[in-house]
Amino acid sequence: QHALNSGIRRYHVSPALCQRAKVAMSHFEPNEYINYEKLEKNINIVRKRLDRPLTLSEKIVYGHLDDPAKQEIERGKTYLRLRPDRVAMQDATAQMAMLQFISSGLPKVAVPSTIHCDHLIEAQSGGEKDLRRAKDINQEVYNFLATAGAKYGVGFWKPGSGIIHQIILENYSYPGVMLIGTDSHTPNGGGLGGICIGVGGADAVDVMAGIPWELKCPKVIGVKLTGKLSGWTSPKDVILKVAGILTVKGGTGAIIEYHGPGVDSISCTGMATICNMGAEIGATTSIFPYNERMKKYLGKTGRADIAALADEFKQHLVPDSGCQYDQVIEINLSELKPHINGPFTPDLAHPVSDIGAVAEKEGWPVDIRVGLIGSCTNSSYEDMGRSAAVAKQALAHGLKCKSKFTITPGSEQIRATIERDGYAKVLREVGGLVLANACGPCIGQWDRKDIKKGEKNTIVTSYNRNFTGRNDANPETHAFVTSPEIVTALSIAGTLKFNPETDYLTGADGKKFKLEAPDADELPKLEFDPGQDTYQYPPKDGSGQHVDVSPTSQRLQLLEPFDKWDGKDLEDMLILIKVKGKCTTDHISAAGPWLKFRGHLDNISNNLLIGAINIENGKANSVRNALTQEFGPVPDTARYYKKMGVKWAVIGDENYGEGSSREHAALEPRHLGGRVIITKSFARIHETNLKKQGLLPLTFADPADYNKIHPVDKLSIVGLKDFAPGKPLKCIIKHPNGSQETIMLNHTFNESQIEWFQAGSALNRMKELQQKSS
């Protein structure tokens, strides 16, 4: 305790102290303790009720039930009321989450919570300069988040600290934790045996307010790993292979649970990589069982006490023998080859050995313009070491990267350690530019100068997501996702036609040589270097703290409550847009330059659906105004309808809203007068976000009915007075020629979610309940 109070950020405890009854959840919250006893008690209650072996996912999820004795439990059907242990928010989503928490009127968060400044730093000229520039440009937002954190009891990781998920892995995730985070890649924490789930800000507010959090009881997909990783094959290849099998929606409504003898050949940070990118297959989250690799990582990050406690409760941190999965996939790691996925979607899987030929056949550019390593998915010490091992071989033969090459450390701790151990020096010498400890190009925060918009080109990254225009806002950039070591090798060769397992490079002396498979330590031999202290503790009493939001600010805007349902059916709604094909949260609420408006709902609403393709004309951001018959931008048309008092709907295709947890993709349509989103299917997080903001996410009972609705039609949703769980709603389609037809629409609302709709939003409902209780 004295060491903590003295500001020492990394310390080790003796084995004797490890056996104490109480172990802190993190070094930063010494008075918040891990409660494995409650987890054990809840698991035993549920196991007795269900009378069957439990998967690891079930143990941790059911171990956090609000009422384990009475909660109805049926995988894929019932809604669970859960009590997560903590909340984490990145700075882009934290703005809206904290604005909603302020609106709740509560004095302090009910569970340990943190804010991480990683999304607002644009990659431009290098780490130090980019960080200074970001602090200047975003001063108002950083000040808001820091003061709001101080007032409401939320820990604040300053800009430069690192990417939220790497910080969580280093400090907050532990075996058996249930953590929710306002970012879709929160499942990264599953690499340490936790159930870590990406959510919208309104969900985070529920947990911070001490309200049970609702989640549809997940199915469990088992991935059995056999064999052993070796050579050029990396943990990234496991999830790239799984993505190719399950596709971007194959994991929807399920937790991916890895098990089997092959697990032990994967490092803890490698397991995190696999869990992180599970977001790309729509999974609720992903998880690995507690093992020695996790124990080793906990010890190296100063948490040997947690590992010792986890050892005592290990039977609850691994699956029961004989447990049943809803689906099982088996992968032999000994046979798995290096993969590269893309372009334009993270589930288009190719072995690296095939990608050159496939690219030439498809007309994709084979010359690589930029290689980028890092991101929340692949920026561990091991990742950087394996990349440096490849770079050293090239330097030994007088070669540097033919492609531009960038490196993003995942955290200040990783940055400081790879500088100390020489990895950063090697990566610079081979031609790399070390960027700030932040998301950067992975989320579109990239001031790219080497191409013009519209220029067809190829980049390779160790990121997780490669949707059209995501990294650089250029729809002609063909982005491919692979491991850091493959990115490094391809950047040295400069072409997709290079296979490092079989092909030769020509050294500066004219002699040919072949790169050897990289080998690197999974953890540093010395202790991690923590680098600069970038954490702000919340004061014990923040009641006197002032949080300033200027009424004239262009970056921040206090929220006004959404209107309450008027008790009537939704009649004669216009169709704002009928979307053709893939529509991610990037299409609905673009990132990149729009990130600066994440705390200002009205300003950011000017990006509503500007990336979605209108089926009527095949164009983006061009829709017919049904009142004027003129074509114009989507947000302008929505604002016009709102001004005229006309409600509107959106029609979508499959897996609508896949991608980021981006709550703004739900807030914006609600703010601009939208009432209903009708699709063939939804991505999990987006469907929940829409419900939280008082919208109606509905699906066609018959997916073919998508073709019956035309952009010029009017829609009426009838039966809302009898709105009930499991009861379909009717949609009357009115065509311009006066004819009508009726189709049926399904929904997944439960009773409390129907109350959200009726109250106007989940936040409105929370306030109603607070008023009743007071």
Side-chain angles (χ1 to χ4, degrees):
Q1 185 65 54
H2 175 73
L4 284 171
N5 292 336
S6 301
I8 297 172
R9 300 175 60 211
R10 292 286 179 269
Y11 70 104
H12 289 276
V13 292
S14 70
L17 284 175
C18 289
Q19 303 304 315
R20 64 179 183 249
K22 290 185 176 182
V23 174
M25 293 170 66
S26 82
H27 298 331
F28 301 100
E29 295 131 359
N31 298 316
E32 298 283 351
Y33 303 109
I34 295 173
N35 194 346
Y36 281 149
E37 289 84 0
K38 182 179 179 182
L39 186 77
E40 181 176 59
K41 180 180 177 182
N42 286 2
I43 290 170
N44 289 338
I45 291 171
V46 173
R47 182 184 281 112
K48 186 176 180 180
R49 286 181 55 200
L50 299 182
D51 192 28
R52 61 171 173 80
L54 300 177
T55 66
L56 171 60
S57 308
E58 290 181 305
K59 287 182 179 182
I60 302 177
V61 172
Y62 304 161
H64 286 83
L65 286 170
D66 182 51
D67 188 354
K70 297 180 181 178
Q71 171 72 60
E72 187 179 353
I73 299 171
E74 187 175 357
R75 285 187 197 168
K77 292 189 177 180
T78 57
Y79 276 86
L80 307 179
R81 291 166 61 84
L82 300 164
R83 292 284 185 177
D85 298 301
R86 62 181 309 119
V87 171
M89 300 167 280
Q90 40 96 333
D91 50 355
T93 52
Q95 295 172 62
M96 194 56 66
M98 292 309 296
L99 286 165
Q100 290 179 86
F101 190 81
I102 290 170
S103 295
S104 75
L106 296 168
K108 191 174 182 179
V109 295
V111 301
S113 304
T114 50
I115 294 169
H116 304 259
C117 295
D118 62 359
H119 270 56
L120 301 179
I121 302 169
E122 185 180 50
Q124 193 177 68
S125 55
E128 291 185 12
K129 289 182 179 178
D130 293 347
L131 180 58
R132 285 198 300 269
R133 180 169 172 265
K135 287 179 177 178
D136 180 53
I137 293 172
N138 303 306
Q139 182 180 8
E140 179 185 17
V141 171
Y142 291 147
N143 179 63
F144 165 73
L145 293 174
T147 54
K151 184 172 183 65
Y152 297 105
V154 179
F156 180 71
W157 287 86
K158 301 171 188 176
S161 302
I163 305 172
I164 175 173
H165 312 302
Q166 182 69 28
I167 298 290
I168 289 171
L169 199 71
E170 292 172 352
N171 299 281
Y172 297 116
S173 185
Y174 60 83
V177 71
M178 175 172 275
L179 179 152
I180 68 166
T182 59
D183 188 279
S184 59
H185 292 103
T186 301
N188 192 78
L192 255 179
I195 289 289
C196 303
I197 302 176
V199 299
D203 278 345
V205 171
D206 278 355
V207 180
M208 291 191 292
I211 296 173
W213 173 60
E214 290 192 352
L215 176 73
K216 182 180 278 190
C217 187
K219 294 183 178 181
V220 187
I221 298 174
V223 178
K224 184 179 181 181
L225 302 179
T226 60
K228 184 178 181 180
L229 286 177
S230 63
W232 284 92
T233 306
S234 73
K236 186 66 163 280
D237 298 307
V238 177
I239 186 58
L240 294 178
K241 178 70 174 178
V242 171
I245 295 169
L246 288 176
T247 77
V248 290
K249 62 177 182 176
T252 303
I255 293 175
I256 312 297
E257 183 171 313
Y258 294 86
H259 63 283
V263 166
D264 292 334
S265 76
I266 305 173
S267 66
C268 178
T269 52
M271 291 186 245
T273 291
I274 294 167
C275 292
N276 177 292
M277 203 175 153
E280 268 50 71
I281 54 177
T284 301
T285 192
S286 301
I287 190 170
F288 279 82
Y290 176 60
N291 65 2
E292 288 297 313
R293 305 299 278 267
M294 294 182 191
K295 183 175 182 178
K296 186 176 180 181
Y297 183 79
L298 285 167
K300 204 67 172 179
T301 52
R303 294 175 288 170
D305 52 349
I306 293 178
L309 189 65
D311 284 342
E312 294 179 29
F313 289 85
K314 186 173 181 179
Q315 73 271 25
H316 303 303
L317 306 175
V318 296
D320 285 342
S321 176
C323 67
Q324 297 296 307
Y325 297 100
D326 295 283
Q327 178 183 351
V328 176
I329 297 167
E330 187 165 337
I331 296 175
N332 185 338
L333 300 179
S334 299
E335 298 174 356
L336 183 64
K337 290 293 185 180
H339 272 62
I340 183 168
N341 288 22
F344 306 126
T345 184
D347 60 348
L348 186 57
H350 321 272
V352 171
S353 57
D354 296 347
I355 189 62
V358 173
E360 286 190 322
K361 179 182 176 182
E362 298 292 338
W364 304 331
V366 295
D367 292 336
I368 298 168
R369 297 294 291 267
V370 190
L372 306 100
I373 66 170
S375 84
C376 64
T377 316
N378 276 114
S379 57
S380 67
Y381 184 82
E382 181 182 33
D383 289 327
M384 296 297 165
R386 285 173 68 89
S387 294
V390 175
K392 279 181 183 178
Q393 297 178 61
L395 290 169
H397 289 85
L399 296 186
K400 291 191 175 185
C401 292
K402 287 186 178 179
S403 310
K404 290 181 179 295
F405 185 51
T406 70
I407 302 98
T408 303
S411 67
E412 171 61 8
Q413 176 169 281
I414 294 294
R415 182 208 63 78
T417 306
I418 65 171
E419 288 286 0
R420 181 197 68 194
D421 293 353
Y423 291 167
K425 181 176 183 289
V426 169
L427 294 170
R428 287 192 187 97
E429 287 177 351
V430 84
L433 174 67
V434 179
L435 300 174
N437 314 323
C439 300
C442 184
I443 60 163
Q445 284 284 49
W446 186 14
D447 185 19
R448 190 177 180 189
K449 301 293 189 184
D450 64 299
I451 60 159
K452 295 179 180 178
K453 191 169 183 178
E455 182 180 344
K456 198 173 180 180
N457 75 103
T458 284
I459 65 173
V460 292
T461 81
S462 69
Y463 301 164
N464 44 48
R465 197 163 278 167
N466 58 346
F467 300 134
T468 303
R470 177 173 175 86
N471 303 122
D472 60 3
N474 179 14
E476 290 300 325
T477 292
H478 294 57
F480 294 85
V481 177
T482 186
S483 67
E485 51 266 49
I486 294 293
V487 172
T488 307
L490 293 179
S491 299
I492 291 165
T495 175
L496 288 177
K497 295 170 71 175
F498 178 70
N499 177 10
E501 288 191 302
T502 58
D503 296 343
Y504 287 79
L505 294 168
T506 302
D509 58 3
K511 295 180 180 179
K512 292 187 178 296
F513 71 97
K514 193 157 76 78
L515 293 170
E516 297 295 327
D519 185 31
D521 294 330
E522 64 180 279
L523 295 165
K525 289 183 173 62
L526 302 174
E527 299 306 308
F528 275 110
D529 182 341
Q532 299 180 46
D533 188 354
T534 55
Y535 179 72
Q536 172 187 292
Y537 287 85
K540 289 183 179 180
D541 182 6
S543 59
Q545 177 71 51
H546 179 65
V547 181
D548 185 30
V549 178
S550 169
T552 60
S553 172
Q554 295 301 302
R555 299 287 302 271
L556 299 164
Q557 181 185 46
L558 293 174
L559 296 175
E560 295 291 333
F562 288 131
D563 59 300
K564 189 174 181 177
W565 177 56
D566 62 8
K568 301 177 182 178
D569 288 335
L570 296 168
E571 297 182 347
D572 293 331
M573 290 182 293
L574 299 179
I575 296 171
L576 178 66
I577 183 173
K578 182 179 179 182
V579 177
K580 178 183 178 182
K582 184 186 284 283
C583 190
T584 72
T585 49
D586 281 349
H587 294 96
I588 304 168
S589 176
W594 291 95
L595 284 171
K596 61 180 174 285
F597 296 126
R598 284 285 182 88
H600 197 293
L601 180 54
D602 194 57
N603 281 347
I604 200 170
S605 293
N606 289 322
N607 76 2
L608 174 65
L609 286 158
I610 61 175
I613 301 300
N614 179 10
I615 199 169
E616 186 175 6
N617 57 12
K619 296 180 180 180
N621 202 26
S622 175
V623 295
R624 183 194 301 272
N625 185 319
L627 301 180
T628 67
Q629 298 305 311
E630 296 177 356
F631 279 84
V634 183
D636 293 357
T637 306
R639 287 186 186 278
Y640 186 83
Y641 291 164
K642 181 179 181 180
K643 179 182 177 181
M644 302 304 292
V646 177
K647 296 180 176 65
W648 51 262
V650 169
I651 309 301
D653 212 314
E654 294 276 7
N655 207 31
Y656 183 88
E658 69 176 275
S660 300
S661 65
R662 207 159 300 163
E663 184 173 39
H664 298 75
L667 282 158
E668 292 173 33
R670 182 73 164 95
H671 175 64
L672 295 185
R675 300 303 304 182
V676 179
I677 314 292
I678 306 172
T679 72
K680 293 180 182 177
S681 63
F682 286 97
R684 175 191 63 85
I685 299 177
H686 187 59
E687 182 180 22
T688 301
N689 287 346
L690 291 168
K691 292 177 183 178
K692 287 278 185 177
Q693 303 308 333
L695 284 149
L696 280 177
L698 306 172
T699 56
F700 296 104
D702 180 356
D705 287 345
Y706 169 87
N707 298 315
K708 293 181 179 179
I709 298 178
H710 305 288
V712 292
D713 294 337
K714 291 183 178 180
L715 305 179
S716 294
I717 306 298
V718 299
L720 289 176
K721 291 181 181 179
D722 300 315
F723 194 14
K727 185 177 181 180
L729 293 168
K730 288 183 180 179
C731 175
I732 299 173
I733 307 169
K734 297 181 181 179
H735 301 300
N737 62 8
S739 65
Q740 295 185 10
E741 55 186 316
T742 300
I743 61 173
M744 301 305 294
L745 301 174
N746 293 331
H747 64 85
T748 60
F749 281 80
N750 61 22
E751 291 181 358
S752 62
Q753 292 169 349
I754 290 172
E755 291 175 355
W756 299 345
F757 168 73
Q758 293 170 340
S761 71
L763 186 59
N764 288 359
R765 181 58 179 158
M766 181 195 298
K767 291 179 180 178
E768 288 180 355
L769 293 173
Q770 286 176 359
Q771 290 170 356
K772 287 181 180 179
S773 65
S774 62

